[in-house]
């Protein structure tokens, strides 16, 4: 087997799909005996939507989910105001999905599992990774079923309590914020319009209250969140109802399908890889809830790692830790700052800046407007048959892509000339940049060559850019 993935959460599933579509022999195991059923990470950031488009699941995510709801604020049961986490942005030629999208984590996972099954790979439930050893050729894995299995690589996508991370002896530095405990749950309630989110508090203390966020495609469930005192660990319907009654909400909880106590953790693994064993997702970094970054960062770890495992070159495998650990550290900083705003009682603590969208994640090591390591932007272009397509259509799939602006592209798979309107058509594959968006987004002049990595970041660019042409 090529790759054994321990853990079938969003991170493990994303990686398994990416590897399976590249034709690798992959196994994905999970110690749970049944699939997790709760909303947990229910905010999908724009960059994750782009990854999901490439993996062939976006249409289902869009069909089952919804946009961020407007939040109606009630104080002592009386309507006070409406607010939003972020103002909705219009799509632009280079950013097709500018807004976060809401879908419960268990629904996202089900969509990913179905996609994985299309490649003939099934999650093996009730199968715990117990221990492993590695040598220069591979990893020998011991499973709770008694099976001993051999793989070229092992990926620990096994969550915050990662067995893989512990077995590697990798430090998980950071803090568990014991000053905050959250009561979370998926609830059916009477008396609320499911089109909206709600913030229910008292006029005396408007910053402490109950949040209810509508979960799409669940028959009307809301994700419930409220602070919980240090000595309280009961997550029953009665406790949730007491929280609502305490803010005079006039809302009845009818059913609780999932509930838990959550303490925010901010931790980052010291290493993301030792030899042939890698860490991804919560196994490598855990986040406070603010900003909805945990699930999204895990999906993107997987997307960064998949093509590198398939390639297997030492430099690329090394670059996984360099690139993703730096991103995880930055994301932790963003969500920690947002968490602090909550703790400080800031009035705008619910607002989310553009840095939570993860579109500005970059692996760049040099300066310039668009340099290697930056996200490859989208642009509408015209195909040879006069058909309207997007650059993202050319990138979709497990391959890298070469764009040659204003000149013929080499005769190789996934290489395209990007021509200006009226420019004579060279031999080889080409698209026409009818409105000039591609030249603009890529800061290109005639002769600029750009290689896009399989994970949608700029791999290489020739020196030619608009700046280099300026006197
Ligand atoms: C209560 C709670 C609420 C959250 N709310 C939000 C939120 O609102 N927004 C947000 O963005 N994020 C939220 N998160 C974080 C988000 O859920 C995680 O970031 C996300 O699940 C990480 O995905 P993952 O695949 O890396 O790990 P996980 O989803 O934790 O998956 C790990 C999997 O590994 C399995 N496993 C563990 N050990 C082994 C082993 N030894 N062998 C085999 N399998 C194993 C587990 O059973 C599990 O299925 C929340 C998390 C929790 C716990």
């Amino acid at each position: 087997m090529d790759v054994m993935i321990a853990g079938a959460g969003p991170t493990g599933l994303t990686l398994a799909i990416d590897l399976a579509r590249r034709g690798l022999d992959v196994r994905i195991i999970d110690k749970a005996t049944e699939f997790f059923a709760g909303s947990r990470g229910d905010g999908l950031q724009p960059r994750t939507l782009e990854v999901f488009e490439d993996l062939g699941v976006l249409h289902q995510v869009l069909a089952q989910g919804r946009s961020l709801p407007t939040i109606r604020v009630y104080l002592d049961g009386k309507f006070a105001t409406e607010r939003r986490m972020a103002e909705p942005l219009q799509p632009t030629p280079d950013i097709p999905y500018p807004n976060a999208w809401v879908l419960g984590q268990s629904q996202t996972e089900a969509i990913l599992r179905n996609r994985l099954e299309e490649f003939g790979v099934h999650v093996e439930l009730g199968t715990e990774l117990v221990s492993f050893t590695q040598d220069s050729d591979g990893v020998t894995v011991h499973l709770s079923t008694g099976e001993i299995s051999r793989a070229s690589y092992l990926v620990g996508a096994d969550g915050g309590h990662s067995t893989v991370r512990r077995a590697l002896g990798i430090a998980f530095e950071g803090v568990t914020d014991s000053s905050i405990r959250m009561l979370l749950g998926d609830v059916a309630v009477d008396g609320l319009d499911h089109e909206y989110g709600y913030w229910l508090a008292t006029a005396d203390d408007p910053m402490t209250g109950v949040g209810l966020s509508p979960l799409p495609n669940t028959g009307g469930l809301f994700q419930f969140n409220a602070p919980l005192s240090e000595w309280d660990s009961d997550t029953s319907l009665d406790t949730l109802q007491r929280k609502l009654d305490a803010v005079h909400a006039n809302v009845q909880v009818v059913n609780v399908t999932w509930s838990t106590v959550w303490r925010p953790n901010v931790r980052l693994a010291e290493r993301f890889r030792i030899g042939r064993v890698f860490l991804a997702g919560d196994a490598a970094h855990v986040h406070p809830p603010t900003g909805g970054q945990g699930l999204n960062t895990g999906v993107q770890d997987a997307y960064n790692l998949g093509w590198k495992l398939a390639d297997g070159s030492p430099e690329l495998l090394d670059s996984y830790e360099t690139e993703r650990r730096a991103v995880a550290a930055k994301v932790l900083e963003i969500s920690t700052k947002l968490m602090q705003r909550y703790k400080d009682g800031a009035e705008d603590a619910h607002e989310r800046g553009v840095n939570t969208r993860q579109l500005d994640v970059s692996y760049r090591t040099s300066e310039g407007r668009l340099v290697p390591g930056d996200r490859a932007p989208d642009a509408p272009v015209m195909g040879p048959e006069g058909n309207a397509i997007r650059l993202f259509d050319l990138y979709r799939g497990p391959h890298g892509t070469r764009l040659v602006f204003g000149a013929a592209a080499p005769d190789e798979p996934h290489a395209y000339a990007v021509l200006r309107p009226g420019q004579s058509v060279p031999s080889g594959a080409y698209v026409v940049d009818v409105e000039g968006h591609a030249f603009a987004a890529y800061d290109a002049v005639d002769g600029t060559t750009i290689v896009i990595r399989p994970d949608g970041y700029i791999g290489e660019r020739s020196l030619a850019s608009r700046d280099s042409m300026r006197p």
Side-chain angles (χ1 to χ4, degrees):
M1 182 205 344
D2 296 316
V3 183
M4 166 73 85
I5 302 170
T11 305
L13 289 167
T14 300
L15 180 62
I17 294 170
D18 195 24
L19 295 174
R21 71 176 178 157
R22 293 169 192 281
L24 268 75
D25 182 10
V26 53
R27 271 180 83 177
I28 175 164
I29 58 170
D30 202 295
K31 71 175 181 185
T33 49
E34 53 192 58
F35 294 124
F36 170 77
S39 63
R40 295 215 296 190
D42 65 345
L44 299 172
Q45 299 298 342
R47 181 60 193 156
T48 303
L49 299 180
E50 293 182 354
V51 173
F52 282 175
E53 181 176 29
D54 183 40
L55 297 178
V57 294
L58 182 64
H59 54 294
Q60 289 184 48
V61 166
L62 293 181
Q64 291 188 29
R66 61 160 292 162
S67 57
L68 285 178
T70 300
I71 299 165
R72 312 198 85 188
V73 179
Y74 285 78
L75 301 178
D76 292 320
K78 292 194 189 71
F79 175 74
T81 186
E82 278 186 0
R83 64 191 192 196
R84 302 189 71 94
M85 289 177 96
E87 284 306 316
L89 299 172
Q90 287 304 314
T92 55
D94 57 330
I95 301 179
Y97 313 109
N99 301 303
W101 195 247
V102 180
L103 187 63
Q105 183 166 333
S106 52
Q107 293 157 292
T108 300
E109 289 179 8
I111 291 171
L112 293 171
R113 277 198 305 273
N114 289 341
R115 178 70 175 136
L116 184 59
E117 291 194 359
E118 289 174 17
F119 298 101
V121 181
H122 307 274
V123 173
E124 299 174 46
L125 285 176
T127 309
E128 180 174 356
L129 176 128
V130 179
S131 62
F132 59 88
T133 54
Q134 60 170 319
D135 52 54
S136 56
D137 297 331
V139 188
T140 303
V141 177
H142 294 251
L143 306 179
S144 57
T145 53
E147 186 190 344
I148 298 173
S149 183
R150 181 91 178 148
S152 300
Y153 299 103
L154 167 66
V155 179
D158 51 347
H161 299 289
S162 173
T163 305
V164 175
R165 187 188 65 239
R166 288 170 190 209
L168 290 171
I170 294 177
F172 205 31
E173 288 152 1
V175 291
T176 298
D177 191 337
S178 44
S179 68
I180 302 179
R181 295 172 83 235
M182 297 294 288
L183 174 57
L184 295 181
D186 293 350
V187 299
V189 294
D190 264 351
L192 293 181
D193 183 344
H194 200 248
E195 266 311 296
Y196 294 93
Y198 295 87
W199 178 251
L200 311 166
T202 60
D204 288 349
D205 185 7
M207 298 310 296
T208 313
V210 177
L212 287 168
S213 177
L215 293 165
N217 219 12
T218 56
L221 295 179
F222 287 83
Q223 190 184 64
F224 174 107
N225 73 74
L228 202 60
S229 56
E230 225 174 292
W231 51 89
D232 206 350
S233 55
D234 180 50
T235 65
S236 67
L237 187 151
D238 286 350
T239 304
L240 273 63
Q241 185 65 56
R242 256 195 298 116
K243 294 281 173 195
L244 285 163
D245 293 345
V247 294
H248 317 122
N250 295 328
V251 172
Q252 290 302 314
V253 182
V254 185
N255 192 16
V256 180
T257 60
W258 165 74
S259 62
T260 190
V261 178
W262 195 24
R263 280 191 312 162
N265 279 294
V266 183
R267 288 180 192 276
L268 180 63
E270 202 179 8
R271 303 280 316 271
F272 279 23
R273 172 198 180 193
I274 293 186
R276 293 179 164 272
V277 184
F278 295 79
L279 298 176
D282 273 21
H285 41 76
V286 284
H287 304 251
T290 35
Q293 302 290 294
L295 178 153
N296 295 276
T297 309
V299 164
Q300 283 161 67
D301 287 346
Y303 195 57
N304 182 286
L305 183 56
W307 66 285
K308 296 177 179 176
L309 286 174
D311 182 281
S313 82
E315 302 76 45
L316 272 183
L317 291 175
D318 277 347
S319 72
Y320 169 69
E321 175 176 303
T322 317
E323 293 186 345
R324 291 309 299 173
R325 194 171 182 279
V327 168
K330 205 163 144 194
V331 172
L332 282 174
E333 220 175 89
I334 294 168
S335 40
T336 306
K337 276 190 190 145
L338 286 170
M339 191 80 200
Q340 192 57 44
R341 296 225 310 257
Y342 268 106
K343 288 167 72 173
D344 294 345
E347 260 184 44
D348 61 353
H350 62 280
E351 287 177 13
R352 297 290 172 264
V354 289
N355 58 0
T356 58
R357 300 189 301 164
Q358 303 202 345
L359 290 170
D360 58 353
V361 164
S362 174
Y363 310 124
R364 56 161 60 195
T365 54
S366 58
E367 292 306 311
R369 192 165 87 66
L370 193 76
V371 297
D374 288 349
R375 166 186 169 273
D378 197 9
V381 289
M382 192 175 76
E385 284 92 45
N387 46 328
I389 57 171
R390 298 158 52 203
L391 290 181
F392 277 10
D393 294 325
L394 309 182
Y395 307 161
R396 191 171 310 123
H399 54 79
T401 308
R402 182 185 300 274
L403 301 180
V404 182
F405 287 83
D411 184 16
E412 63 183 37
H414 308 296
Y416 301 87
V418 182
L419 303 177
R420 298 176 189 280
Q423 210 172 359
S424 69
V425 174
S427 62
Y430 70 93
V431 294
V432 182
D433 188 19
V434 180
E435 291 161 51
H437 292 302
F439 271 81
Y442 282 83
D443 194 26
V445 294
D446 287 348
T448 303
T449 297
I450 297 196
V451 176
I452 290 102
R453 310 185 338 182
D455 61 350
Y457 288 85
I458 309 286
E460 296 166 28
R461 75 171 288 156
S462 67
L463 285 179
S465 73
R466 290 180 179 190
D467 276 345
S468 68
M469 301 297 282
R470 281 180 201 123

